[in-house]
Short mmCIF file of all heavy atoms in Angstrom, two decimals:
data_model
loop_
_atom_site.label_atom_id
_atom_site.label_comp_id
_atom_site.label_asym_id
_atom_site.label_seq_id
_atom_site.Cartn_x
_atom_site.Cartn_y
_atom_site.Cartn_z
N SER A 1 -11.92 20.90 6.51
CA SER A 1 -12.82 19.75 6.49
C SER A 1 -13.40 19.62 5.07
O SER A 1 -14.24 20.40 4.68
CB SER A 1 -13.92 19.89 7.54
OG SER A 1 -14.61 21.10 7.33
N GLU A 2 -12.87 18.67 4.33
CA GLU A 2 -13.28 18.43 2.92
C GLU A 2 -12.77 17.05 2.55
O GLU A 2 -12.18 16.36 3.32
CB GLU A 2 -12.70 19.50 2.02
CG GLU A 2 -11.18 19.57 2.08
CD GLU A 2 -10.60 20.77 1.37
OE1 GLU A 2 -11.13 21.86 1.44
OE2 GLU A 2 -9.57 20.56 0.72
N VAL A 3 -12.96 16.67 1.31
CA VAL A 3 -12.44 15.40 0.83
C VAL A 3 -11.01 15.63 0.36
O VAL A 3 -10.78 16.51 -0.46
CB VAL A 3 -13.30 14.83 -0.30
CG1 VAL A 3 -12.70 13.55 -0.85
CG2 VAL A 3 -14.76 14.57 0.16
N VAL A 4 -10.13 14.83 0.86
CA VAL A 4 -8.71 14.85 0.38
C VAL A 4 -8.48 13.52 -0.28
O VAL A 4 -8.77 12.48 0.27
CB VAL A 4 -7.75 15.07 1.59
CG1 VAL A 4 -6.33 14.99 1.09
CG2 VAL A 4 -8.03 16.38 2.30
N GLU A 5 -7.99 13.59 -1.51
CA GLU A 5 -7.79 12.35 -2.26
C GLU A 5 -6.29 12.14 -2.56
O GLU A 5 -5.64 13.10 -2.98
CB GLU A 5 -8.56 12.36 -3.54
CG GLU A 5 -8.49 11.07 -4.30
CD GLU A 5 -9.46 11.07 -5.53
OE1 GLU A 5 -10.67 11.07 -5.29
OE2 GLU A 5 -8.94 11.06 -6.66
N LEU A 6 -5.75 10.98 -2.28
CA LEU A 6 -4.41 10.63 -2.62
C LEU A 6 -4.44 9.36 -3.46
O LEU A 6 -5.17 8.43 -3.15
CB LEU A 6 -3.57 10.35 -1.32
CG LEU A 6 -3.44 11.51 -0.36
CD1 LEU A 6 -2.86 11.03 0.95
CD2 LEU A 6 -2.55 12.60 -0.95
N THR A 7 -3.69 9.33 -4.51
CA THR A 7 -3.61 8.18 -5.40
C THR A 7 -2.14 7.74 -5.50
O THR A 7 -1.23 8.56 -5.56
CB THR A 7 -4.15 8.54 -6.76
OG1 THR A 7 -5.50 8.99 -6.63
CG2 THR A 7 -4.13 7.31 -7.72
N ALA A 8 -1.96 6.41 -5.48
CA ALA A 8 -0.63 5.86 -5.58
C ALA A 8 -0.68 4.54 -6.37
O ALA A 8 -1.76 3.90 -6.45
CB ALA A 8 -0.05 5.62 -4.18
N LYS A 9 0.45 4.17 -6.94
CA LYS A 9 0.54 2.89 -7.58
C LYS A 9 1.38 1.94 -6.77
O LYS A 9 2.34 2.33 -6.10
CB LYS A 9 1.23 3.05 -8.99
CG LYS A 9 0.34 3.72 -9.98
CD LYS A 9 0.56 3.09 -11.35
CE LYS A 9 -0.32 3.73 -12.39
NZ LYS A 9 -1.59 3.08 -12.53
N ILE A 10 0.99 0.70 -6.78
CA ILE A 10 1.73 -0.30 -6.09
C ILE A 10 3.01 -0.66 -6.89
O ILE A 10 2.93 -1.05 -8.05
CB ILE A 10 0.93 -1.61 -5.82
CG1 ILE A 10 -0.28 -1.32 -4.91
CG2 ILE A 10 1.81 -2.70 -5.16
CD1 ILE A 10 -1.21 -2.46 -4.68
N ARG A 11 4.16 -0.42 -6.26
CA ARG A 11 5.42 -0.67 -6.92
C ARG A 11 5.98 -2.08 -6.60
O ARG A 11 6.58 -2.71 -7.47
CB ARG A 11 6.48 0.37 -6.53
CG ARG A 11 7.84 0.13 -7.17
CD ARG A 11 8.91 1.05 -6.66
NE ARG A 11 8.87 2.29 -7.44
CZ ARG A 11 9.63 3.32 -7.23
NH1 ARG A 11 10.50 3.30 -6.25
NH2 ARG A 11 9.54 4.39 -7.99
N ALA A 12 5.75 -2.49 -5.37
CA ALA A 12 6.27 -3.81 -4.94
C ALA A 12 5.42 -4.35 -3.83
O ALA A 12 4.80 -3.56 -3.06
CB ALA A 12 7.73 -3.67 -4.51
N ILE A 13 5.40 -5.68 -3.71
CA ILE A 13 4.66 -6.33 -2.62
C ILE A 13 5.53 -7.42 -2.05
O ILE A 13 6.04 -8.26 -2.79
CB ILE A 13 3.33 -6.99 -3.12
CG1 ILE A 13 2.44 -5.93 -3.77
CG2 ILE A 13 2.61 -7.70 -2.00
CD1 ILE A 13 1.21 -6.52 -4.49
N ASP A 14 5.75 -7.39 -0.77
CA ASP A 14 6.46 -8.43 -0.03
C ASP A 14 5.43 -9.28 0.68
O ASP A 14 4.94 -8.87 1.77
CB ASP A 14 7.51 -7.83 0.95
CG ASP A 14 8.29 -8.85 1.69
OD1 ASP A 14 7.79 -10.01 1.88
OD2 ASP A 14 9.41 -8.53 2.09
N HIS A 15 5.07 -10.40 0.12
CA HIS A 15 3.99 -11.23 0.65
C HIS A 15 4.38 -11.82 2.00
O HIS A 15 3.52 -12.04 2.89
CB HIS A 15 3.58 -12.32 -0.36
CG HIS A 15 2.85 -11.76 -1.49
ND1 HIS A 15 1.51 -11.52 -1.47
CD2 HIS A 15 3.26 -11.37 -2.73
CE1 HIS A 15 1.11 -11.02 -2.62
NE2 HIS A 15 2.16 -10.92 -3.41
N ASP A 16 5.61 -12.18 2.21
CA ASP A 16 6.06 -12.79 3.51
C ASP A 16 5.90 -11.83 4.66
O ASP A 16 5.44 -12.28 5.73
CB ASP A 16 7.54 -13.23 3.41
CG ASP A 16 7.78 -14.35 2.42
OD1 ASP A 16 6.82 -15.12 2.17
OD2 ASP A 16 8.93 -14.44 1.89
N TYR A 17 6.20 -10.58 4.48
CA TYR A 17 6.13 -9.60 5.57
C TYR A 17 4.92 -8.64 5.43
O TYR A 17 4.77 -7.73 6.22
CB TYR A 17 7.40 -8.80 5.66
CG TYR A 17 8.58 -9.63 6.08
CD1 TYR A 17 9.50 -10.08 5.14
CD2 TYR A 17 8.77 -10.02 7.40
CE1 TYR A 17 10.59 -10.90 5.50
CE2 TYR A 17 9.80 -10.79 7.80
CZ TYR A 17 10.71 -11.27 6.85
OH TYR A 17 11.77 -12.06 7.23
N ARG A 18 4.05 -8.87 4.41
CA ARG A 18 2.84 -8.10 4.15
C ARG A 18 3.22 -6.59 4.00
O ARG A 18 2.51 -5.71 4.57
CB ARG A 18 1.82 -8.32 5.25
CG ARG A 18 1.34 -9.76 5.28
CD ARG A 18 0.24 -9.98 6.34
NE ARG A 18 -0.97 -9.21 6.08
CZ ARG A 18 -2.02 -9.69 5.42
NH1 ARG A 18 -2.01 -10.91 4.95
NH2 ARG A 18 -3.09 -8.92 5.23
N LEU A 19 4.24 -6.28 3.23
CA LEU A 19 4.66 -4.91 3.01
C LEU A 19 4.27 -4.55 1.57
O LEU A 19 4.45 -5.31 0.63
CB LEU A 19 6.17 -4.78 3.20
CG LEU A 19 6.70 -5.08 4.60
CD1 LEU A 19 8.21 -4.98 4.63
CD2 LEU A 19 6.10 -4.08 5.62
N VAL A 20 3.73 -3.33 1.45
CA VAL A 20 3.35 -2.81 0.12
C VAL A 20 4.09 -1.50 -0.11
O VAL A 20 4.07 -0.58 0.75
CB VAL A 20 1.82 -2.56 0.08
CG1 VAL A 20 1.44 -1.98 -1.29
CG2 VAL A 20 1.04 -3.84 0.37
N THR A 21 4.83 -1.43 -1.22
CA THR A 21 5.54 -0.20 -1.55
C THR A 21 4.69 0.55 -2.54
O THR A 21 4.32 0.01 -3.61
CB THR A 21 6.93 -0.51 -2.12
OG1 THR A 21 7.67 -1.24 -1.18
CG2 THR A 21 7.69 0.78 -2.47
N LEU A 22 4.34 1.79 -2.17
CA LEU A 22 3.48 2.64 -2.99
C LEU A 22 4.28 3.82 -3.48
O LEU A 22 5.14 4.34 -2.78
CB LEU A 22 2.28 3.10 -2.16
CG LEU A 22 1.36 2.04 -1.64
CD1 LEU A 22 0.45 2.59 -0.57
CD2 LEU A 22 0.54 1.45 -2.77
N VAL A 23 3.94 4.31 -4.70
CA VAL A 23 4.53 5.51 -5.27
C VAL A 23 3.39 6.47 -5.52
O VAL A 23 2.47 6.14 -6.30
CB VAL A 23 5.31 5.25 -6.52
CG1 VAL A 23 5.94 6.53 -7.11
CG2 VAL A 23 6.38 4.20 -6.31
N SER A 24 3.43 7.63 -4.91
CA SER A 24 2.31 8.63 -5.09
C SER A 24 2.50 9.32 -6.45
O SER A 24 3.56 9.20 -7.09
CB SER A 24 2.34 9.64 -3.94
OG SER A 24 3.46 10.46 -4.01
N GLU A 25 1.51 10.09 -6.82
CA GLU A 25 1.57 10.81 -8.11
C GLU A 25 2.74 11.80 -8.15
O GLU A 25 3.23 12.07 -9.23
CB GLU A 25 0.24 11.57 -8.33
CG GLU A 25 -0.92 10.66 -8.51
CD GLU A 25 -2.24 11.38 -8.55
OE1 GLU A 25 -2.42 12.44 -7.87
OE2 GLU A 25 -3.15 10.87 -9.25
N ASP A 26 3.18 12.30 -7.00
CA ASP A 26 4.30 13.25 -7.02
C ASP A 26 5.64 12.57 -6.81
O ASP A 26 6.65 13.20 -6.54
CB ASP A 26 4.10 14.38 -6.01
CG ASP A 26 4.04 13.91 -4.58
OD1 ASP A 26 4.16 12.65 -4.32
OD2 ASP A 26 3.90 14.74 -3.67
N GLY A 27 5.66 11.21 -6.85
CA GLY A 27 6.91 10.45 -6.80
C GLY A 27 7.34 10.06 -5.38
O GLY A 27 8.38 9.41 -5.26
N GLU A 28 6.54 10.36 -4.36
CA GLU A 28 6.89 9.94 -2.99
C GLU A 28 6.75 8.41 -2.90
O GLU A 28 5.77 7.83 -3.38
CB GLU A 28 5.89 10.58 -1.99
CG GLU A 28 6.16 12.00 -1.70
CD GLU A 28 7.32 12.20 -0.78
OE1 GLU A 28 7.56 11.37 0.14
OE2 GLU A 28 8.03 13.18 -1.00
N VAL A 29 7.74 7.77 -2.31
CA VAL A 29 7.72 6.33 -2.13
C VAL A 29 7.53 6.03 -0.69
O VAL A 29 8.19 6.63 0.15
CB VAL A 29 9.06 5.68 -2.65
CG1 VAL A 29 9.08 4.20 -2.40
CG2 VAL A 29 9.26 6.00 -4.14
N GLU A 30 6.60 5.16 -0.40
CA GLU A 30 6.28 4.80 0.95
C GLU A 30 6.04 3.31 1.04
O GLU A 30 5.26 2.76 0.22
CB GLU A 30 5.03 5.56 1.44
CG GLU A 30 4.71 5.44 2.90
CD GLU A 30 5.70 6.17 3.78
OE1 GLU A 30 6.16 7.28 3.40
OE2 GLU A 30 6.00 5.66 4.85
N THR A 31 6.67 2.62 1.97
CA THR A 31 6.45 1.21 2.20
C THR A 31 5.63 1.12 3.51
O THR A 31 5.97 1.66 4.51
CB THR A 31 7.73 0.40 2.33
OG1 THR A 31 8.46 0.54 1.10
CG2 THR A 31 7.46 -1.06 2.56
N ILE A 32 4.47 0.42 3.39
CA ILE A 32 3.58 0.31 4.52
C ILE A 32 3.27 -1.17 4.84
O ILE A 32 3.42 -2.00 3.96
CB ILE A 32 2.30 1.05 4.25
CG1 ILE A 32 1.60 0.56 2.96
CG2 ILE A 32 2.52 2.57 4.22
CD1 ILE A 32 0.27 1.11 2.73
N TYR A 33 2.92 -1.42 6.05
CA TYR A 33 2.50 -2.78 6.47
C TYR A 33 1.03 -2.92 6.31
O TYR A 33 0.24 -2.08 6.80
CB TYR A 33 2.95 -2.93 7.93
CG TYR A 33 2.40 -4.21 8.57
CD1 TYR A 33 2.93 -5.44 8.23
CD2 TYR A 33 1.41 -4.12 9.54
CE1 TYR A 33 2.42 -6.60 8.80
CE2 TYR A 33 0.89 -5.30 10.12
CZ TYR A 33 1.41 -6.54 9.74
OH TYR A 33 0.92 -7.67 10.32
N ALA A 34 0.56 -3.95 5.66
CA ALA A 34 -0.82 -4.27 5.52
C ALA A 34 -1.14 -5.38 6.51
O ALA A 34 -0.87 -6.56 6.25
CB ALA A 34 -1.12 -4.72 4.08
N GLY A 35 -1.73 -4.98 7.61
CA GLY A 35 -1.98 -5.92 8.74
C GLY A 35 -2.99 -6.98 8.35
O GLY A 35 -3.58 -6.99 7.25
N PRO A 36 -3.24 -7.89 9.27
CA PRO A 36 -4.15 -9.02 8.99
C PRO A 36 -5.61 -8.58 8.76
O PRO A 36 -6.39 -9.34 8.22
CB PRO A 36 -4.07 -9.87 10.29
CG PRO A 36 -3.50 -8.98 11.31
CD PRO A 36 -2.67 -7.95 10.60
N GLU A 37 -5.96 -7.33 9.16
CA GLU A 37 -7.30 -6.84 8.87
C GLU A 37 -7.52 -6.59 7.36
O GLU A 37 -8.65 -6.45 6.93
CB GLU A 37 -7.61 -5.56 9.65
CG GLU A 37 -6.75 -4.38 9.34
CD GLU A 37 -5.37 -4.36 9.99
OE1 GLU A 37 -5.03 -5.27 10.78
OE2 GLU A 37 -4.63 -3.44 9.75
N VAL A 38 -6.48 -6.54 6.59
CA VAL A 38 -6.57 -6.41 5.14
C VAL A 38 -6.79 -7.84 4.62
O VAL A 38 -5.82 -8.53 4.27
CB VAL A 38 -5.34 -5.76 4.50
CG1 VAL A 38 -5.50 -5.60 2.98
CG2 VAL A 38 -5.09 -4.38 5.13
N LYS A 39 -8.03 -8.25 4.57
CA LYS A 39 -8.39 -9.67 4.26
C LYS A 39 -8.08 -10.02 2.81
O LYS A 39 -7.85 -11.19 2.55
CB LYS A 39 -9.89 -9.92 4.52
CG LYS A 39 -10.30 -9.64 5.98
CD LYS A 39 -9.65 -10.65 6.86
CE LYS A 39 -10.13 -10.46 8.30
NZ LYS A 39 -9.31 -11.10 9.26
N ARG A 40 -8.08 -9.11 1.87
CA ARG A 40 -7.89 -9.44 0.46
C ARG A 40 -6.49 -9.03 -0.01
O ARG A 40 -6.25 -8.76 -1.16
CB ARG A 40 -8.96 -8.74 -0.34
CG ARG A 40 -10.37 -9.24 0.00
CD ARG A 40 -11.51 -8.56 -0.70
NE ARG A 40 -11.49 -8.85 -2.11
CZ ARG A 40 -12.32 -8.29 -2.99
NH1 ARG A 40 -13.23 -7.44 -2.56
NH2 ARG A 40 -12.27 -8.58 -4.24
N PHE A 41 -5.55 -9.10 0.92
CA PHE A 41 -4.15 -8.72 0.65
C PHE A 41 -3.58 -9.49 -0.57
O PHE A 41 -2.93 -8.89 -1.41
CB PHE A 41 -3.30 -8.97 1.86
CG PHE A 41 -1.84 -8.73 1.67
CD1 PHE A 41 -1.32 -7.42 1.65
CD2 PHE A 41 -0.90 -9.78 1.44
CE1 PHE A 41 0.04 -7.22 1.44
CE2 PHE A 41 0.42 -9.53 1.24
CZ PHE A 41 0.90 -8.26 1.24
N ASP A 42 -3.84 -10.76 -0.67
CA ASP A 42 -3.29 -11.57 -1.73
C ASP A 42 -3.83 -11.19 -3.14
O ASP A 42 -3.27 -11.61 -4.12
CB ASP A 42 -3.55 -13.07 -1.48
CG ASP A 42 -2.72 -13.58 -0.29
OD1 ASP A 42 -1.64 -13.00 -0.03
OD2 ASP A 42 -3.15 -14.55 0.35
N GLU A 43 -4.88 -10.37 -3.16
CA GLU A 43 -5.42 -9.95 -4.47
C GLU A 43 -4.74 -8.67 -5.01
O GLU A 43 -4.92 -8.29 -6.17
CB GLU A 43 -6.91 -9.68 -4.31
CG GLU A 43 -7.71 -10.93 -4.00
CD GLU A 43 -9.20 -10.60 -3.83
OE1 GLU A 43 -9.73 -9.73 -4.56
OE2 GLU A 43 -9.80 -11.25 -2.93
#
């Protein structure tokens, strides 16, 4: 039980499907869905 911090850079954004591809500091690539609750997605 402590603070765990993860940092990633946005590599790509698919606005039609609301997908964000992130690359972590160690090179892991993950594409995630940003649902409608992410109100500022377009920013």
Side-chain angles (χ1 to χ4, degrees):
S1 56
E2 58 190 40
V3 176
V4 176
E5 184 173 295
L6 298 169
T7 301
K9 287 217 179 270
I10 297 177
R11 177 185 275 179
I13 301 171
D14 182 332
H15 288 277
D16 294 333
Y17 294 100
R18 297 182 64 94
L19 298 174
V20 179
T21 302
L22 298 165
V23 180
S24 68
E25 293 173 329
D26 64 359
E28 284 285 323
V29 177
E30 188 72 37
T31 300
I32 57 172
Y33 172 71
E37 66 278 0
V38 181
K39 301 292 183 198
R40 297 175 68 184
F41 176 77
D42 291 332
E43 296 178 36

